Amino acid sequence: MTLEPNKQPKVLICVDWFVPGYKAGGPIQSCKNLVLALKDSVDFYILTSNVDWGETQPYPDITPNVWLKFDQTIPIYYASKGSLNLKKLEEIIKEVRPDVIYLNSMFSVRYTIFPLLLKWRNKIPDATRIILAPRGMLQPGALSLKPLKKSIYLKLFKWMGLPKLIEFHATDKLESERILKVFPGSKKIHVIGNFPEQKPIPHKDIVKIPGKLKLVYASRISKEKNLDFIFEILLAKNYEGEIELIIAGQVNDGEYYQKCREMADKLPDNIKAKFLGPIPHDHLVEWLQSAHYFVLPTFGENFGHSIFEAFLAGRPVIISDRTLWKGLEQKSVGWDIPLDNKNQWIEVIDKILRQDQKEFDAMAGKSRNFAINFRNAHENREQYLSLFL
């Protein structure tokens, strides 16, 4: 598409949850960071719901079903429950007349499937490009949850010929390969990494005494995030010292959450676990900096915003080897450990429990510098501008 001189691309972002929501985690941060980074060069319009993930009550003090302003300048439409049907969505698209419709989920009914149905039924102009960002939802771990429904949907997706009608946005090479595996012959796949958090985070020291360790887990409480694995590691050895585990996250699976609570109750007296529930993103940094290490034995992450923000907050991480963050031990910013190597997980916990102030401060400083250098090296503004042109 060639734009008229001095005309900026007009992009309609469709996403289930957006600010002030925070319980859906990564997708909210991905979209927010993108919009704030490019708002001077792209005319964004945001279409989202007026409730947070897992909630039934709408956001207070936000009028639904009208155009408002995000960050004082960006039009945003908070759709109330049940109001966004195919007809209403078609009306919004005709009103906005976007050059690009940017979808941020693989399986969302209203914010992905509905736009795709309109495209399939020729209700969206051919000149309007549709770009779909699966946001990690095609990873094997994600597809293993509710597999029958997802399998049927993906087969319909291919039967309708949608992979050849739209474009995909992958955030790394691995996701690009997953898209091609699920949708062979896809029209076009753009590979551009997520915008990491741009807001500066002030440095904050924390006392580290050998024999005392504080860990923080900040993610959804769900099977794919693998919280119960941490309890397995904490129960696997008689650690000599005091360990505290802070757990911040929205409960995604009540049965799984109960399992984790029961495991927490089995911890010995020298190990404490505290469940905070979901915390607003604005408060994430203070919880990260209240601990020594961030821990996340995830089955897979699209980017891992909380991992990056832990680095940025000056906190090393202990994570699985199923993210894009690799070789952390060599960089002295943490560990990325295979989930089938429980002995190494135990050894690392034991090692950092005995760590002294000097050793910890060295890793904390390197973690912060690692995040800053990563952000500078992965400046992808021009790539995103090209994505929307």
Side-chain angles (χ1 to χ4, degrees):
M1 175 185 68
T2 302
L3 291 174
E4 300 170 13
N6 302 319
K7 182 178 182 295
Q8 296 186 159
K10 188 183 292 186
V11 177
L12 175 63
I13 293 181
C14 297
V15 60
D16 285 86
W17 305 284
F18 194 74
V19 178
Y22 58 90
K23 295 180 180 179
I28 294 176
Q29 297 310 311
S30 295
C31 289
K32 185 197 76 170
N33 293 347
L34 170 65
V35 166
L36 293 179
L38 297 183
K39 64 180 181 179
D40 294 332
S41 302
V42 177
D43 291 334
F44 285 111
Y45 290 73
I46 303 167
L47 176 61
T48 189
S49 61
N50 74 329
V51 296
D52 204 352
W53 184 87
E55 294 293 329
T56 56
Q57 294 301 311
Y59 301 124
D61 305 319
I62 288 182
T63 304
N65 307 323
V66 295
W67 287 103
L68 304 173
K69 295 290 184 181
F70 167 67
D71 195 49
Q72 300 181 328
T73 59
I74 301 164
I76 185 166
Y77 187 103
Y78 292 95
S80 61
K81 183 178 180 180
S83 67
L84 191 66
N85 52 32
L86 284 168
K87 182 179 179 181
K88 183 62 183 178
L89 179 60
E90 187 178 356
E91 289 175 2
I92 290 173
I93 292 172
K94 285 181 178 179
E95 178 185 2
V96 174
R97 292 182 296 127
D99 301 302
V100 177
I101 299 175
Y102 185 55
L103 312 177
N104 288 271
S105 171
M106 193 68 237
F107 301 108
S108 168
V109 174
R110 287 177 172 80
Y111 298 91
T112 297
I113 296 176
F114 279 10
L116 292 176
L117 279 173
L118 290 177
K119 178 68 174 179
W120 185 63
R121 293 167 57 182
N122 296 317
K123 299 293 185 179
I124 294 176
D126 290 340
T128 301
R129 296 163 56 218
I130 293 185
I131 302 174
L132 193 161
R135 299 293 176 200
M137 296 180 190
L138 293 177
Q139 291 179 356
L143 292 179
S144 67
L145 302 173
K146 300 180 181 177
L148 181 60
K149 287 184 179 180
K150 291 179 179 179
S151 175
I152 293 171
Y153 168 69
L154 294 177
K155 287 177 181 178
L156 283 171
F157 193 98
K158 288 185 277 190
W159 176 80
M160 294 165 70
L162 290 171
K164 296 182 180 179
L165 295 177
I166 68 172
E167 302 167 41
F168 290 94
H169 169 210
T171 54
D172 58 28
K173 183 180 178 182
L174 182 62
E175 186 169 44
S176 175
E177 292 170 353
R178 285 297 305 169
I179 292 170
L180 279 174
K181 185 171 183 177
V182 177
F183 304 122
S186 295
K187 177 182 177 182
K188 190 170 185 179
I189 301 174
H190 307 266
V191 183
I192 312 172
N194 276 310
F195 266 108
E197 178 62 58
Q198 300 295 305
K199 186 171 63 176
I201 295 176
H203 173 74
K204 185 176 181 180
D205 291 321
I206 184 173
V207 174
K208 179 64 180 76
I209 301 170
K212 290 195 175 183
L213 174 65
K214 190 172 182 180
L215 305 170
V216 63
Y217 165 101
S219 192
R220 296 196 312 275
I221 299 177
S222 60
K223 292 178 181 178
E224 63 265 31
K225 302 300 181 181
N226 206 20
L227 173 61
D228 63 306
F229 183 88
I230 302 175
F231 290 113
E232 287 184 27
I233 299 305
L234 294 178
L235 288 164
K237 176 182 169 64
N238 293 322
Y239 296 96
E240 296 182 5
E242 298 175 10
I243 301 175
E244 184 178 1
L245 172 63
I246 301 296
I247 301 148
Q250 172 75 13
V251 176
N252 189 21
D253 181 331
E255 186 176 336
Y256 179 76
Y257 170 70
Q258 187 58 40
K259 174 186 176 181
C260 292
R261 293 299 303 237
E262 290 171 0
M263 294 181 77
D265 290 339
K266 295 176 183 177
L267 293 171
D269 291 341
N270 64 320
I271 303 179
K272 308 294 183 186
K274 182 177 181 181
F275 289 82
L276 297 180
I279 58 172
H281 183 259
D282 291 345
H283 294 263
L284 175 61
V285 168
E286 64 186 76
W287 283 106
L288 291 172
Q289 293 185 329
S290 74
H292 300 109
Y293 283 83
F294 173 85
V295 59
L296 184 64
T298 176
F299 282 114
E301 295 295 317
N302 183 40
F303 177 74
H305 287 279
S306 57
I307 299 171
F308 177 78
E309 289 179 46
F311 287 133
L312 199 58
R315 296 298 179 260
V317 308
I318 310 163
I319 59 176
S320 72
D321 63 346
R322 303 186 187 187
T323 78
L324 64 84
W325 308 101
K326 305 289 188 183
L328 303 183
E329 184 176 6
Q330 291 82 359
K331 300 178 180 74
S332 296
V333 298
W335 288 265
D336 48 294
I337 311 172
L339 293 174
D340 59 4
N341 192 346
K342 290 187 179 181
N343 286 336
Q344 188 181 358
W345 282 84
I346 294 167
E347 290 168 5
V348 167
I349 296 297
D350 197 47
K351 178 178 181 177
I352 61 176
L353 175 59
R354 292 182 280 107
Q355 199 171 44
D356 62 20
Q357 190 75 57
K358 183 179 178 180
E359 292 171 316
F360 172 77
D361 285 347
M363 290 189 70
K366 289 180 179 179
S367 297
R368 183 174 173 80
N369 289 336
F370 172 71
I372 293 170
N373 292 336
F374 177 91
R375 187 167 61 186
N376 293 339
H378 291 76
E379 173 55 58
N380 45 19
R381 176 184 172 84
E382 295 305 319
Q383 288 179 288
Y384 273 99
L385 287 176
S386 297
L387 173 69
F388 296 133
L389 290 176

